[in-house]
Amino acid sequence: MIGLIRAELTKFRSVRGWLIGCGIAAVLMVLLAVVAAAGTDARVGGPGARGALPRASDGTPVLDGFTFLQQPLDGDGTLTVRVPSLTGVALRPPTPGDSVPDEQEQATPEPWAKAGLIIKAGTTSGSAYTAVMVTGSHGVRMQHDFIHDLAGPTDARWLRLVRSGGTVTAYASSDGAAWTTVGSAPLATGAMSAGIFVATPPHQEYEQFLGGTSVIGGGAIATGTFDNLTAAGIGAGGDWNLVSVGADDSPNRPESTSTRNGDTFVLRGGGDIAPVDGGTGPKLEQLLSGGFMALTVLAVLGVLFVTTEFRRGMVRTTFAATPSRVRVLAAKSVVLGAVTFAVGLVASTAALLVGTAIRGSNHYPADALTQVRIVVGTAALIAVATVLALAIGTILRRGAGAVAAVVVLITLPYILSAAAVLPAATADWVLRITPAAAFAVQQTVPEWPQVDQAYTPAFGFFPLPAWGGFAVLCGWTAVALVIAAALLRRRDA
Amino acid sequence: MEATIEVNDLRKAYGSTVALDGMTFTVAPGRVTAFVGPNGAGKSTTMRVVLGLDRVDAGTALVGGRPYRSLRTPLRHVGALLDASALHPARSGRDHLLWQAHSQGLRGQRVDEVLKLTGLADVGRRRAGGYSLGMRQRLGVAGALLGDPPVLMLDEPFNGLDPEGIRWMRGFLRALAAEGRAVLVSSHLMSELQDTAGHLVVVGRGKVVADTSVADLIAAASSDRVTLRTVARTEAMTALARVGATVAVTERDTLTVDGLPADRVVTVLSEAGVPFSEIAAHRATLEEAYMELTKDAVEFRATEVAR
């Protein structure tokens, strides 16, 4: 087998056009990285900008702005409240010459509008917290550290937070008598702020149709009504103070207000406590967007690596030298996979380095492991796709047909989905069933169940996880190789 | 390994077209066996079957007693040239041989040896696309020799060769056979193999028409016919008729004598005192003998086309 692999490697390296093809693939990838990096608008900076955003404990950039009616809680304690109503108002985005945003009455609040109890390490944006809340349409939730979200009962209106030592436990109840535990989370001991809060993500309407997308959005204001508020514990008591957390960072946010009518409090304001939407800003994988070009060029090589042998009858010399045709196919796959993996690895690394040198780290953060995953994943995607192309070439024995098949199966589904040509629903299943699903290895932005955004390929979100999409490609390749092997054995050479 | 090719009752049909119809023959070591027949007689198909490239409906093909597909490094057992133009034009002749060498676990040094052996040492590093057909044939032969195999099988190696090349190839094939190898050479032009082949397998319509030594074939095709030129026509006819020969007058002073070898004719005429000026024995060429044998197959094809 070693000799056979050496033979196929000799075949590959001795056709200069194929080596040039490898070079072109790498250059295309780096070129596209330069274009992507240079084309990124670098107007980001200053207060509220992505670079200045607070981070969750794992580094995820987050939003931390809300309307907070609080008092101190220095040790153990218990907060209880009833939230009889949570309503919302969407603001039309400000148009030029229109200084005051119009308020549009809205029947329901944003699905992820929040009103409830929170214990937070101070009132600065980004500090640790644990909260239990009623939401617009997701029932009771317990959230902490911005990225953690636990579902509670859907119809409960009574909320309770109990702080005990380094743990905060959240409860919910529909009648204020029978309580169910929602969850608990660690929270540091010491002096904290505790109270009621209101927040709501902005209003967004997202539409993707054949040939385009449209996003209409604007700020939103949530109004939460609270009663039966009790706060008991070490350091608790005294007046309730209104704080607009994070207001300094987002000057356009609607003003936070608080009104008290007897035992009833009404809080009103915008902002949100949640991970930021990673889909709309610059993303690291955009520097690897030349991957599909490199893949296409190398896949053509993969096709030619076998179809030229069929066309010229050279395959007879090959099979006379090695009667086991399956071993020949295996050797070709190994050589092609290894060569294109190496080319893909060099090209992806170069693209990432060059692009980062131009653009800096002005993108949704990706930790070292994620960076390695997208670079190695892109190389693996290219390598396996090239082997798939080889298998298709073996099956069809015609270069033109096989290249067309590869483009239709891999390149087109990816481009049409990523460039938002296909409607979102179509793109979703196209990227589940075609080999292009493997482009999921390039996704760096995470999906958050507790954040509504357009989780579509056009915004860098793939329907399958990285390993799942890659598995789809591997499945196609395995099936194609099995068919190719069976046909090779059956057909006359 | 025994240097033989044994082909036994090969049958293969493409749809309703019968390509091989009970092809059976054996190639022995130490001589060049010519594998001849008209185009479409099944020569190339047989060779592909021997190399395990094409499947057969029935029959077996053994090389040195073993099926080709069971050989681990087949090029060390059988060297074959099927189609000299079956190479990638961008690849150098040397690289074309090098990958074949690697596939058999042979070293690059062997590639340079066979390039030298076939007179390609100077052009080995040039793109094979620029080779003439004659150079490609040499490259194909070089590939067949890579593994120094005891059995060689060459399909139409004379195609595209210039007279010098044909002479080279003939001598080369004879030399290879003289080393004890079994050499099977196909051709549709008998004349190319006239002085090269020792044995002949003539095929037509997918089966063997004749399997004979070249000497026997020529002898069989040559009848005892002697052309005689004499001024004493009547005396000569009388003398020859008396010993049992059939004599016919072809020209005023020319007779043809059937049924008596030339040396007997001379003796009979001398003893009878008949003067003659010229005597010639007719001897068939290999070409004529071959045409005689394949006449049926060719005629069948001609009528088939005409229908």
Side-chain angles (χ1 to χ4, degrees), chain A residues 175-264:
Chain A
D175 54 8
W179 292 87
T180 49
T181 310
V182 182
S184 60
L187 191 67
T189 53
M192 299 243 169
S193 297
I196 54 176
F197 79 100
V198 152
T200 178
H203 179 72
Q204 281 199 342
E205 283 171 28
Y206 171 79
E207 221 179 342
Q208 188 176 326
F209 37 86
L210 188 66
T213 55
S214 95
V215 182
I216 302 167
I221 302 175
T223 305
T225 309
F226 303 81
D227 56 24
N228 294 292
L229 174 62
T230 58
I234 299 161
D239 292 339
W240 292 99
N241 287 312
L242 181 68
V243 180
S244 189
V245 176
D248 297 343
D249 295 337
S250 44
N252 294 333
R253 212 176 81 194
E255 195 189 347
S256 292
T257 61
S258 158
T259 52
R260 180 171 185 171
N261 186 1
D263 285 339
T264 304

Side-chain angles (χ1 to χ4, degrees), chain A residues 223-310:
Chain A
T223 305
T225 309
F226 303 81
D227 56 24
N228 294 292
L229 174 62
T230 58
I234 299 161
D239 292 339
W240 292 99
N241 287 312
L242 181 68
V243 180
S244 189
V245 176
D248 297 343
D249 295 337
S250 44
N252 294 333
R253 212 176 81 194
E255 195 189 347
S256 292
T257 61
S258 158
T259 52
R260 180 171 185 171
N261 186 1
D263 285 339
T264 304
F265 298 84
V266 176
L267 296 190
R268 198 169 180 276
D272 201 6
I273 314 170
V276 297
D277 174 354
T280 47
K283 296 178 279 287
L284 185 62
E285 67 262 36
Q286 285 162 339
L287 299 178
L288 298 182
S289 55
F292 81 92
M293 284 182 159
L295 182 150
T296 308
V297 171
L298 293 175
V300 169
L301 291 190
V303 165
L304 290 180
F305 193 42
V306 64
T307 56
T308 51
E309 290 204 25
F310 280 115

Side-chain angles (χ1 to χ4, degrees), chain A residues 38-193:
Chain A
T40 304
D41 196 336
R43 246 180 326 122
V44 186
R50 202 167 294 272
L53 284 173
R55 302 291 176 111
S57 61
D58 69 344
T60 302
V62 296
L63 302 169
D64 191 17
F66 58 99
T67 303
F68 190 14
L69 191 66
Q70 57 89 31
Q71 55 174 275
L73 179 65
D74 296 337
D76 292 355
T78 300
L79 291 166
T80 307
V81 78
R82 189 176 83 103
V83 186
S85 101
L86 171 61
T87 59
V89 169
L91 302 177
R92 209 177 60 192
T95 47
D98 183 8
S99 55
V100 184
D102 289 348
E103 292 187 6
Q104 293 178 336
E105 284 306 325
Q106 194 184 297
T108 51
E110 293 301 311
W112 281 107
K114 303 167 176 76
L117 297 169
I118 186 166
I119 301 175
K120 188 171 173 66
T123 56
T124 22
S125 188
S127 59
Y129 74 97
T130 295
V132 63
M133 67 208 73
V134 166
T135 59
S137 56
H138 293 280
V140 170
R141 318 294 287 203
M142 176 196 165
Q143 295 184 348
H144 64 101
D145 195 19
F146 305 98
I147 53 176
H148 298 293
D149 172 57
L150 277 173
T154 50
D155 52 355
R157 286 286 161 182
W158 289 81
L159 305 171
R160 176 172 288 169
L161 275 184
V162 177
R163 183 185 186 201
S164 171
T167 305
V168 174
T169 308
Y171 301 88
S173 168
S174 46
D175 54 8
W179 292 87
T180 49
T181 310
V182 182
S184 60
L187 191 67
T189 53
M192 299 243 169
S193 297

Side-chain angles (χ1 to χ4, degrees), chain B residues 144-227:
Chain B
L145 291 174
L146 261 183
D148 194 18
V151 175
L152 282 160
M153 203 162 61
L154 313 174
D155 196 5
E156 304 273 1
F158 294 98
N159 267 3
L161 292 185
D162 54 13
E164 193 277 326
I166 290 177
R167 229 183 47 192
W168 171 83
M169 184 70 80
R170 282 175 174 165
F172 201 68
L173 295 178
R174 275 199 302 265
L176 290 170
E179 290 167 11
R181 297 175 216 260
V183 182
L184 181 68
V185 180
S186 84
S187 177
H188 62 279
L189 293 176
M190 197 63 240
S191 55
E192 291 171 345
L193 292 161
Q194 172 105 40
D195 305 320
T196 312
H199 198 81
L200 203 57
V201 174
V202 183
V203 293
R205 294 167 59 186
K207 57 185 159 202
V208 174
V209 178
D211 186 345
T212 171
S213 81
V214 171
D216 288 351
L217 178 75
I218 290 176
S222 313
S223 54
D224 284 337
R225 172 173 291 184
V226 176
T227 309

Side-chain angles (χ1 to χ4, degrees), chain A residues 403-416:
Chain A
V403 168
V406 167
V407 169
V408 166
L409 280 177
I410 308 176
T411 316
L412 272 187
Y414 169 71
I415 295 176
L416 295 183

